[in-house]
Every structure is written in structure tokens, then in C-alpha cells.
């Protein structure tokens, strides 16, 4: 079977034929987005419009709407926690299926930036702190998506490892850590998966904006690595016509106003750019079009897509394979987990996060699934009636958020005379229409006002707070009563997102009764921003339910827990803690969730805590509870998967893809705030577990850590420079899966390197009592360093201790290898 990632002679011939028919204007127009999500069609060469969509856990499509639901897989960090590239490939295959259903040709994913610091606000969208694990999971994902004939754009190239000032920050990185850490996942994916696209980041690297980085894009990515796909800008990242085209950027998004198009044609005529340089970019775009089946006269790279995938089943499988059990105390000669559903008579489920599940991160990764299974719903369905009791205990949301639970809303668009132009569904109370993403029949030119209207059915009686987020005039009515009529002006916030859209603002309160629907209306005359590069309508109706006394809620939870055999407390972050667009200020759980856990654990020794966050949080009570299970953001089937794992129908399959610190103060790398526009990566090679080793700091839970529901004996280890073979035996009473991890540790190092590093890994399964062999290729780069003086990779000979491990710090077998 031919490799679909490699262009065929027919593709190359079709590309050259098409290129030869284009004049300069058509060429430069093709390199510029025609709208928010697509490139123009060129009928003269039989080229149809190429459509892109955000990922990476689902395919949203070109509209911010729930009218065409998307499968929502668990977060990328969850996927990395499976340590299973084949599962990542299957996830990618599902997303290709979703993309084809929605008419999408290019998925803007995966995100393979590293967890440099636990404060990175977008780490839920990245895989790991380790470049080896990131590269392998990313390769599986890309291979899966492209096996379905859909392109990927591996992002964000490169070093977009934090969100603060991401449009302008200059990340200052020495060549060696740049090569060995931050470029390494991209290099692995280019080698193993041949992606059809790369996305250039907003930030600078060593003084040069990435969309114009001639060295990294042309010399390294294309020259050294042989990348033959397109390089597309992050949205609105391209700033210079000449700089971008000379720096290797093929596509400037979004349109219609970009630095390419007419501006690029003018630069060629002026003599600032050779037309042959434009031709190279056009070749890359046409090659992509040929691969995805948009260029007449040539077959797409994939003519027979993979067999259909059950999205709900796969989302559930990935979630339970991603859960990481980091603590599981033995009580009365039995581990706390799994809970035997045949023996447990009373189980208390506690936490607002158990009822209102957060299943995905915020920002461009947002999709709108058809349904979401919360922990409460999942356990209710899995347990006999009467076993489960529930208490809120503590609600991490203490501020206004987009209207969601209990709201049924639509957006009504009118012209200046009050005539209805069109209507659209409204997920989560947010209007977010950018470019042509408008309801049918609506244009920006005719649109004068948007009214968010519908009903709200309260889940609790009391005083409900309503508000807005956005710039301009608003008229808010609830239950027929005017709550606010006024104008919100642009703030002076340093963050441009906050300055333009504003923070959620309280506008009024209404006393409502549980279960009694009321009408709500938010009228907004559309605010126009002079000079905006894109036409956009963005505002929100926000809401906060009645606030009950925190001590009272915790007391109720304690009583519920005291009367149960097992207490399961679900704690979580919110989208005001982890989301695209900002970094975290601390690692604390929001609200009084820590107080809740302490109180419940004091009342019930069999307390299990489920931590739902996309990256590490402090767990000051971790030694006081019986079990701790990390669920990341587990996707739409997360609650069902949680029930599977808690009740022992399947074991938690995850291992930590990132080190979990005891507290922020103990984390070695915490600087994400630029100074004078620069962010020095002063730690060099030492991020993640490498930094903990160097600082001799013991984390709460080490990289690679995680328990299953069986036990393993490591019986033998054979190693060569190319691979390690590890035989292990399942010594427990049930079938299980083990992630065998291979680390290298130089015996007497001759160069500065970490104490140890991941060189390879594999997942194996065995029945109770059975043995199995893991055959693990060792990365060639594992024995090399980047020689800064020579600007090349250098092999480092000597003795290495090869460690076969259950986790970084749980070494089971060792062997010495001389290379």
C-alpha cells in the first residue's frame, strides 16, 4: 500500500500544470484567506475552496454553533496520559471522519508545545513536558487524521509555551534546548508522520517573529527535515508581507484582509519579492489541495477512508485509559479502588464539579457535543437505585459565567428597521461570530442588533445574578423586568482580549423559584470597532446562581459523607483558571474545594478525590484521603468512563505525562511573565522532571507515575543501542495493561545533560498470571546532543544505565550499555 503522506508523480504533475495557468494576482490571492476559515476557489484550474477548522479534541467546523454537534474527545493532555500512540492514531481517525462529515479539509491541530511551566494556561491543549512522549503521541494523532484524507497543522511552531503577551513576546532560547526540547516533537512528527501542514506561532524566537523566521522555517523545517507541507500563520499572526513570504510562510490567515493578496502582488512588482518565491508557496498550497482532493485531474492521497469509528465509544475508551490513579491506599487488606458495586450499599458523590462537568478546555479548542455525561449522571446510571447520594459541598465558580445550565436561548438578528434577518442557536449564552460566521440570511452590512432571547429554568430558588460581557450598549430583561440599560466602554486592561471584550460585569439580580421558567432577553445594538481587521460580533449573557453559605454547604456534604461507605469528591478548575489567552497565577483549586476535601476526609476515611484539571493543581490534602484520581478534561463521555474506572469495570490506564508538584513554590520553572518584551528560557535543558532532578526536589507525583488494578513483575531486560526488550508478568488477579518506560542515565557523563531522560516506551497487556514482552525502539537522538559550536547533532559515546521502569522513580530493572 502506498504511503499517502508522500506526493505521487501525478500530484506533482497536476500541481505544475495548475501553477502554470495562474497569473500573479491569482497566485497571491490563493495564499490569503478569503474569510475566517477558507482559501478561495480558482475555477480556471479546477481548484475548489479549502476549508479549515479548529481542533484538537473535536472538529467544530466553520460556525460557532451547536446546530451541528461535534464529538468531544478528552483533552490532549488526557490523550498523552494514555502513553499510547496507537490510541492517538485511532482518535485522529475519528476526527478525520468528523472533518469529512463537516466538509473540513484541514484540522488546526495537534498542539505539541511543551509543559515548560505548570503555570502555562493552555497546557490542557498540549501533551506533555517531555519531547519524546509528545512526539510519539503527536505522530500517532497526525497519522490517524491524515489516514482519513484530512490534513493536520502541527502547532504552534515554535516555543509558544505560555500565553502571556503571546502576540509579541520574544522567547530567548539557546540553540541546544531549542533543538533538544522545543523543536524535537516537531522533528519527530515530520519524520514519522509527514504532516501536510505546520502552523507558525505568534511569538518571536531569539528576536525574529515566527511567521518570518527564515532560519527555523526554511532552513530547519524544510531544509534539514524535508517538510513538504504548507506553513499557515496562526490567526492574525502574519504582520509583514515581505518578511513573511521570505521567511517561508505560505498562507496568511484569516481573510479577507491579510498581508498577502494585493499587497504581495505589489511587492513582487516593486521588486521586493521574486515571483519564484511566490511560486514555491503556491506549489505547497496546490500540493495540499491535491492531497485532500480539491484539485481536478488527480486523485486525493486517500481514496479509501478508514472504516467508520464509533465516536461515543472511542471517547469513553480514551477517557478511562487516560485517568491516572496517583494514590490508592490499602485499607483492611483491600485497596480503596476499585469500588465493588456488588458490595457497596451507600456511596456519597460530592462537588459542584460532579454535577456540572467541565469536559474540555476554553478558547479555540471549544466544540459543542450533542450531549455530556457528568460524573453524577455516569454514576447514577451505573449504580443500583438508592445507592448514590449527592451534595454540592463547594462550587468553584464564584463569578459570572456564560449562561448555560437551565438556559434555552437563540439569537435574533435584525436590521436598522427592526426586520428579522435571521436567527441562530446559541450555545452557552455566547455570541461569537467572526467574519462570515453568521446565521443564514445575515450580513454584517445589514446587521444592526442582536437579541439573545429565550427561557431560563432555575435549578435553585433564591437571588440570581445576571450580567454581560462585551463592549457597547445592552438592554437586559429577566421575567419581564428591566435589569439594566446602559453602555460598556472598552477597558484599559493590559491584555488585549480583556480590553476589547471586557470582564463579565454584573447588571442586576432577580429572585427566582426553582423549576419555574422565566423569559430572558439581552438586546445589543452591534458595536463596530473602527479599523478592526475582521468584522466580528462578540458578547455574552452571563449568570451566577444563588450563593449559599460556604460553611453550610460543606456541613451538608460532611453529613452526606458520614452516612456513606465511600465518599467520592470531584474537584475542578474553571475556565477562568485554565483557558487559552492567559496564564495561571497560582496552582490552587478555586473556591473552597480544598476545605471541602479536608472536611469530607475527616468524616469518612474512605474518601476518593477525582481531580478534573488540564494541568497540575496543588493537593494539600493528598496524604489525608484514601485515593486520588486525575481525570484531566475527559470529554463528553467522561462521567460514564469515570463510573467504569471507579467500579472496576476497567482499570485506570493513565500515567502522568507531566510532573505534579507539591506546590507552586517547589516547582523549578515558574517564569511565564515577560520583562521588557522578552522571556528568557534561562533554565536551558532543565524543564519538567529534568529540572526536579537537577534541583533535587521531590514532587508530589513523578513523571510517568500511575497505578492500575493489578501488579507487575519485571522479569528480564535486554538492550542494544537500537532497542530494549523487557519481559514482564502480571502477578495480580485480573487482566491489566502496563506502560513500560525506558530511561537512559549516563554513568559518567562527559557533557552537561540531565540525570536521566525518556528514551522509549510501550503499552502491553496480559491476563492474570501471564507474561508478555515489550519490544521498545530507542530513539537515536537519545544518545545525541546538539553541539552549539558546530551547529550539528553529536553522538556522545560512553556507558549508559538503561532503566526499565514503571515510572521515572520506580525502577524495576537496569542494564549497562556501552555505546
Amino acid at each position: 500500500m502506498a504511503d499517502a503522506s508522500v506526493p505521487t508523480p501525478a500530484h506533482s504533475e497536476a500541481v505544475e500544470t495548475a501553477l502554470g495557468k495562474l497569473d500573479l494576482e491569482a497566485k497571491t490571492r490563493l495564499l490569503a484567506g478569503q474569510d475566517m476559515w477558507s482559501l478561495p476557489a480558482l475555477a480556471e484550474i479546477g481548484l475548489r475552496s479549502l476549508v479549515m477548522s479548529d481542533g484538537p479534541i473535536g472538529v467544530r467546523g466553520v460556525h460557532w454553533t451547536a446546530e451541528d454537534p461535534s464529538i468531544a474527545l478528552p483533552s490532549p493532555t488526557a490523550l498523552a496520559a494514555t502513553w499510547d500512540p496507537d490510541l492517538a492514531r485511532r482518535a485522529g481517525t475519528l476526527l478525520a471522519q468528523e472533518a469529512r462529515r463537516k466538509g473540513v479539509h484541514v484540522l488546526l491541530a495537534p498542539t505539541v508545545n511543551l509543559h515548560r511551566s505548570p503555570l502555562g494556561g493552555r497546557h490542557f491543549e498540549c501533551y506533555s513536558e517531555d519531547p519524546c512522549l509528545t512526539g510519539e503521541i503527536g505522530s500517532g494523532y497526525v497519522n490517524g487524521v491524515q489516514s482519513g484524507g484530512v490534513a493536520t497543522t502541527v502547532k504552534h511552531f515554535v516555543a509558544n509555551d505560555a500565553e502571556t503577551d503571546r502576540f509579541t513576546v520574544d522567547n530567548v532560547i539557546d540553540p541546544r534546548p531549542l533543538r533538544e526540547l522545543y523543536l524535537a516533537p516537531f522533528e519527530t512528527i515530520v519524520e514519522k508522520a509527514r504532516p501536510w501542514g505546520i502552523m507558525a506561532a505568534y511569538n518571536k524566537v531569539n528576536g525574529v517573529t515566527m511567521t518570518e523566521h527564515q532560519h527555523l522555517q526554511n532552513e530547519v523545517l524544510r531544509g534539514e527535515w524535508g517538510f513538504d507541507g504548507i506553513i499557515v500563520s496562526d490567526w492574525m499572526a502574519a504582520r509583514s508581507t515581505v518578511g513573511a513570504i521570505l521567511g517561508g510562510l505560505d498562507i496568511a490567515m484569516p481573510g479577507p484582509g491579510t498581508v498577502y493578496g494585493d499587497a504581495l502582488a505589489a511587492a513582487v512588482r516593486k521588486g521586493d519579492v521574486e515571483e519564484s518565491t511566490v511560486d514555491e508557496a503556491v506549489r505547497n498550497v496546490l500540493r495540499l489541495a491535491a492531497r485532500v482532493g480539491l484539485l481536478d485531474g488527480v486523485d486525493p492521497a486517500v481514496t479509501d477512508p478508514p472504516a467508520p469509528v464509533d465516536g461515543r465509544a472511542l471517547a469513553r475508551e480514551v477517557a478511562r485509559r487516560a485517568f491516572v490513579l496517583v494514590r490508592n491506599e490499602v485499607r483492611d487488606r483491600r485497596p480503596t479502588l476499585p469500588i465493588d458495586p456488588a458490595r457497596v450499599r451507600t456511596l456519597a458523590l460530592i462537588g459542584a464539579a460532579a454535577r456540572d462537568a467541565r469536559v474540555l478546555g476554553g478558547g479555540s479548542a471549544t466544540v459543542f457535543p450533542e450531549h455530556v455525561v457528568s460524573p453524577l449522571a455516569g454514576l447514577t446510571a451505573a449504580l443500583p437505585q438508592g445507592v448514590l447520594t449527592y451534595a454540592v459541598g463547594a462550587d468553584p465558580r464564584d463569578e459570572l459565567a456564560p449562561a448555560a445550565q437551565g438556559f434555552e436561548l437563540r439569537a435574533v438578528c435584525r436590521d436598522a428597521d427592526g426586520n428579522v434577518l435571521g436567527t441562530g442557536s446559541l450555545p452557552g449564552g455566547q455570541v461569537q461570530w467572526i467574519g462570515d460566521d453568521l446565521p443564514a440570511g445575515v450580513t454584517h452590512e445589514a446587521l444592526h442588533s442582536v437579541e439573545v432571547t429565550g427561557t431560563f429554568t432555575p435549578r435553585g430558588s433564591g437571588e440570581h445574578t445576571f450580567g454581560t460581557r462585551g463592549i457597547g450598549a445592552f438592554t437586559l430583561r429577566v421575567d419581564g423586568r428591566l435589569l439594566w440599560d446602559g453602555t460598556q466602554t472598552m477597558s484599559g486592561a493590559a491584555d488585549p482580549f480583556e480590553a476589547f471584550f471586557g470582564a463579565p460585569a454584573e447588571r442586576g439580580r432577580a429572585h427566582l423559584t426553582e423549576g419555574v421558567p422565566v423569559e430572558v432577553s439581552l438586546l445589543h445594538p452591534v458595536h463596530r470597532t473602527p479599523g478592526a481587521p475582521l468584522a466580528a460580533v462578540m458578547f455574552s449573557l452571563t449568570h451566577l446562581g444563588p450563593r449559599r453559605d460556604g460553611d453550610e454547604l460543606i456541613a451538608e456534604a460532611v453529613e452526606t459523607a458520614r452516612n456513606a461507605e465511600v465518599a467520592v469528591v470531584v474537584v475542578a478548575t474553571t475556565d477562568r483558571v485554565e483557558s487559552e489567552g492567559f496564564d495561571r497565577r497560582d496552582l490552587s483549586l478555586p473556591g473552597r474545594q480544598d476545605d471541602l476535601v479536608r472536611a469530607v476526609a475527616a468524616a469518612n476515611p474512605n474518601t476518593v478525590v477525582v481531580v478534573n484539571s488540564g494541568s497540575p493543581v496543588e493537593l494539600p490534602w493528598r496524604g489525608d484521603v484514601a485515593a486520588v484520581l486525575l481525570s484531566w478534561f475527559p470529554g463528553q463521555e467522561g462521567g460514564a468512563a469515570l463510573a467504569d474506572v471507579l467500579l472496576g469495570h476497567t482499570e485506570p490506564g493513565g500515567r502522568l505525562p507531566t510532573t505534579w508538584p507539591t506546590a507552586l513554590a517547589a516547582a523549578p520553572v515558574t517564569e511565564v511573565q515577560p520583562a521588557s518584551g522578552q522571556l528568557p528560557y534561562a533554565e536551558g535543558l532543565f524543564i519538567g522532571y529534568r529540572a526536579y532532578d537537577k534541583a533535587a526536589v521531590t514532587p508530589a507525583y513523578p513523571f510517568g507515575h500511575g497505578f492500575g488494578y493489578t501488579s507487575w513483575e519485571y522479569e528480564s531486560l535486554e538492550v542494544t543501542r537500537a532497542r530494549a526488550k523487557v519481559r514482564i508478568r502480571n502477578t495480580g488477579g485480573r487482566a491489566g495493561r502496563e506502560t513500560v518506560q525506558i530511561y537512559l542515565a549516563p554513568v559518567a557523563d562527559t557533557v552537561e545533560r540531565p540525570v536521566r531522560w525518556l528514551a522509549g516506551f510501550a503499552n502491553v497487556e496480559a491476563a492474570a498470571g501471564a507474561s508478555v514482552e515489550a519490544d521498545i525502539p530507542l530513539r537515536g537522538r537519545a544518545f545525541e546532543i546538539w553541539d552549539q559550536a558546530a551547529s550539528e547533532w553529536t553522538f556522545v559515546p560512553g556507558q549508559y544505565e538503561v532503566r526499565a521502569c514503571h515510572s521515572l522513580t520506580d525502577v524495576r530493572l537496569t542494564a549497562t550499555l556501552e555505546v
Side-chain angles (χ1 to χ4, degrees):
M1 181 176 176
D3 184 353
S5 66
V6 179
T8 65
H11 283 155
S12 299
E13 181 179 346
V15 166
E16 291 304 319
T17 299
L19 178 63
K21 297 178 180 178
L22 297 177
D23 60 19
L24 178 61
E25 284 70 19
K27 293 174 186 176
T28 58
R29 190 166 71 251
L30 182 58
L31 305 183
Q34 67 175 350
D35 54 29
M36 187 66 177
W37 301 112
S38 69
L39 296 184
L42 297 178
E44 62 267 37
I45 57 170
L47 176 68
R48 293 172 293 285
S49 178
L50 184 143
V51 178
M52 310 180 198
S53 172
D54 271 324
I57 57 98
V59 183
R60 190 173 61 245
V62 299
H63 296 291
W64 189 269
T65 176
E67 291 175 355
D68 183 12
S70 307
I71 294 290
L73 292 171
S75 68
T77 305
L79 189 60
T82 71
W83 287 62
D84 190 342
D86 184 64
L87 187 59
R89 180 192 58 76
R90 291 170 55 205
T93 302
L94 168 65
L95 295 177
Q97 174 180 297
E98 283 278 279
R100 294 175 76 104
R101 179 177 67 82
K102 288 174 176 266
V104 168
H105 311 109
V106 179
L107 188 62
L108 302 173
T111 305
V112 300
N113 301 112
L114 298 184
H115 295 181
R116 173 179 168 266
S117 162
L119 292 177
R122 202 176 179 180
H123 281 350
F124 62 85
E125 197 177 317
C126 310
Y127 291 133
S128 170
E129 69 188 28
D130 183 80
C132 171
L133 178 58
T134 297
E136 295 297 329
I137 297 295
S139 294
Y141 182 101
V142 169
N143 277 319
V145 174
Q146 295 187 173
S147 74
V150 175
T152 57
T153 55
V154 188
K155 63 184 187 182
H156 306 86
F157 191 74
V158 61
N160 182 185
D161 310 299
E163 292 294 279
T164 303
D165 295 345
R166 61 178 175 160
F167 290 89
T168 58
V169 63
D170 180 10
N171 295 322
V172 181
I173 315 171
D174 284 343
R176 189 175 166 200
L178 181 60
R179 288 279 189 159
E180 295 184 23
L181 296 178
Y182 304 101
L183 287 171
F186 292 93
E187 183 180 15
T188 297
I189 294 169
V190 169
E191 176 189 353
K192 291 194 166 190
R194 293 184 63 90
W196 298 345
I198 296 282
M199 181 185 289
Y202 291 119
N203 54 278
K204 299 176 182 177
V205 171
N206 297 331
V208 182
T209 299
M210 276 310 307
T211 52
E212 304 169 26
H213 214 301
Q214 153 75 13
H215 170 60
L216 292 179
Q217 294 188 150
N218 284 339
E219 296 176 6
V220 176
L221 177 59
R222 292 200 186 279
E224 291 183 28
W225 301 350
F227 172 70
D228 66 357
I230 56 102
I231 301 176
V232 59
S233 72
D234 204 340
W235 265 226
M236 299 173 65
R239 296 151 220 191
S240 164
T241 299
V242 175
I245 196 68
L246 296 182
L249 185 74
D250 298 313
I251 301 172
M253 290 294 290
T258 81
V259 298
Y260 285 171
D262 292 343
L264 181 54
V268 172
R269 291 194 177 93
K270 189 179 177 182
D272 294 336
V273 175
E274 295 291 334
E275 188 167 354
S276 59
T277 303
V278 174
D279 287 347
E280 279 303 306
V282 173
R283 280 191 182 92
N284 295 330
V285 175
L286 292 174
R287 186 182 305 117
L288 173 61
R291 281 167 158 164
V292 299
L294 296 177
L295 187 61
D296 285 351
V298 65
D299 289 333
V302 176
T303 54
D304 299 310
V309 179
D310 184 332
R312 293 179 60 175
L314 184 59
R316 186 168 178 169
E317 180 184 354
V318 174
R320 61 197 185 201
R321 289 279 310 281
F323 292 146
V324 180
L325 183 59
V326 293
R327 180 178 174 85
N328 194 22
E329 290 300 285
V330 175
R331 306 281 174 90
D332 298 325
R333 292 184 294 183
R334 292 177 60 86
T336 302
L337 293 179
I339 300 164
D340 187 345
R343 297 178 58 176
V344 67
R345 292 164 298 177
T346 53
L347 188 151
L349 180 63
I350 296 166
R355 179 191 62 192
D356 303 326
R358 186 181 185 195
V359 301
L360 47 80
S364 61
T366 300
V367 295
F368 304 107
E370 186 175 34
H371 72 276
V372 169
V373 182
S374 68
L376 178 57
L379 282 167
T380 298
L383 290 168
Q385 188 173 0
V387 171
L388 186 69
T389 56
Y390 173 72
V392 173
D395 193 334
R397 297 164 305 175
D398 56 3
E399 59 183 328
L400 291 159
Q405 295 290 340
F407 288 87
E408 293 186 10
L409 303 171
R410 65 186 186 280
V412 180
C413 302
R414 296 183 174 89
D415 63 17
D417 296 324
N419 300 310
V420 175
L421 299 171
T423 63
S425 68
L426 201 59
Q430 297 183 80
V431 172
Q432 186 161 314
W433 303 330
I434 306 174
D436 293 336
D437 184 5
L438 290 166
V442 181
T443 65
H444 285 285
E445 292 74 20
L447 181 61
H448 179 265
S449 70
V450 179
E451 182 183 12
V452 174
T453 182
T455 61
F456 171 52
T457 304
R459 293 190 302 186
S461 298
E463 191 173 58
H464 289 254
T465 305
F466 294 85
T468 63
R469 186 181 192 188
I471 305 301
F474 295 95
T475 303
L476 174 62
R477 288 183 170 86
V478 175
D479 199 19
R481 184 163 65 93
L482 179 66
L483 290 192
W484 194 69
D485 187 8
T487 301
Q488 176 68 52
T489 58
M490 188 176 293
S491 77
D495 182 277
F497 189 88
E498 289 287 336
F500 185 77
F501 299 109
E506 178 180 336
R507 302 306 188 191
R509 302 186 180 191
H511 195 284
L512 305 176
T513 303
E514 179 180 347
V516 178
V518 296
E519 292 185 355
V520 295
S521 168
L522 178 64
L523 179 64
H524 173 60
V526 173
H527 175 74
R528 310 290 185 186
T529 303
L534 279 172
V537 182
M538 301 181 72
F539 68 95
S540 301
L541 170 65
T542 61
H543 169 259
L544 182 65
R547 298 290 87 190
R548 290 183 56 194
D549 179 77
D551 290 336
E552 180 182 314
L553 285 173
I554 291 175
E556 288 180 2
V558 166
E559 193 61 26
T560 303
R562 185 177 286 119
N563 294 323
E565 295 170 71
V566 180
V568 176
V569 184
V570 182
V571 297
T573 60
T574 69
D575 58 7
R576 296 291 285 173
V577 174
E578 288 184 274
S579 184
E580 180 180 350
F582 56 86
D583 290 312
R584 299 160 74 188
R585 297 182 178 89
D586 56 49
L587 302 183
S588 300
L589 285 167
R592 295 192 60 189
Q593 294 182 102
D594 288 333
D595 293 339
L596 172 66
V597 173
R598 291 189 184 98
V600 170
N604 190 325
N606 293 319
T607 293
V608 177
V609 183
V610 179
V611 181
N612 189 25
S613 64
S615 48
V617 293
E618 293 177 2
L619 309 176
W621 34 259
R622 65 187 184 280
D624 302 327
V625 300
V628 178
L629 183 71
L630 310 180
S631 67
W632 315 106
F633 298 142
Q636 66 177 58
E637 307 296 326
L642 180 63
D644 292 339
V645 166
L646 290 178
L647 302 180
H649 302 315
T650 185
E651 65 177 348
R655 303 293 183 263
L656 281 180
T658 198
T659 307
W660 206 275
T662 56
L664 178 59
V669 181
T670 58
E671 188 54 71
V672 295
Q673 299 287 333
S676 301
Q678 289 190 329
L679 180 62
Y681 283 34
E683 70 282 348
L685 297 170
F686 300 96
I687 65 169
Y689 63 84
R690 296 164 169 82
Y692 283 88
D693 281 345
K694 183 178 182 181
V697 171
T698 301
Y701 304 112
F703 180 77
H705 172 63
F707 299 117
Y709 288 158
T710 189
S711 56
W712 298 91
E713 178 185 351
Y714 282 51
E715 297 180 324
S716 65
L717 168 63
E718 300 176 15
V719 297
T720 66
R721 181 177 166 182
R723 61 197 328 104
K725 294 184 178 181
V726 186
R727 179 159 291 278
I728 66 174
R729 182 177 299 277
N730 182 347
T731 55
R734 59 181 286 168
R737 177 187 296 268
E738 174 71 332
T739 299
V740 181
Q741 303 164 37
I742 300 295
Y743 297 87
L744 295 185
V747 174
D749 217 346
T750 58
V751 295
E752 183 187 34
R753 282 189 289 184
V755 173
R756 51 194 164 178
W757 55 89
L758 183 68
F761 59 91
N763 279 264
V764 291
E765 296 181 79
S771 64
V772 63
E773 184 176 83
D775 187 358
I776 305 172
L778 301 184
R779 299 168 57 249
R781 287 274 188 261
F783 299 95
E784 299 176 343
I785 66 167
W786 180 257
D787 186 330
Q788 294 189 170
S791 293
E792 63 183 14
W793 289 99
T794 301
F795 174 70
V796 182
Q799 282 192 341
Y800 292 82
E801 185 176 81
V802 181
R803 301 174 179 177
C805 302
H806 174 77
S807 75
L808 178 76
T809 58
D810 186 352
V811 181
R812 301 295 179 89
L813 293 173
T814 64
T816 300
L817 179 66
E818 182 86 36
V819 295

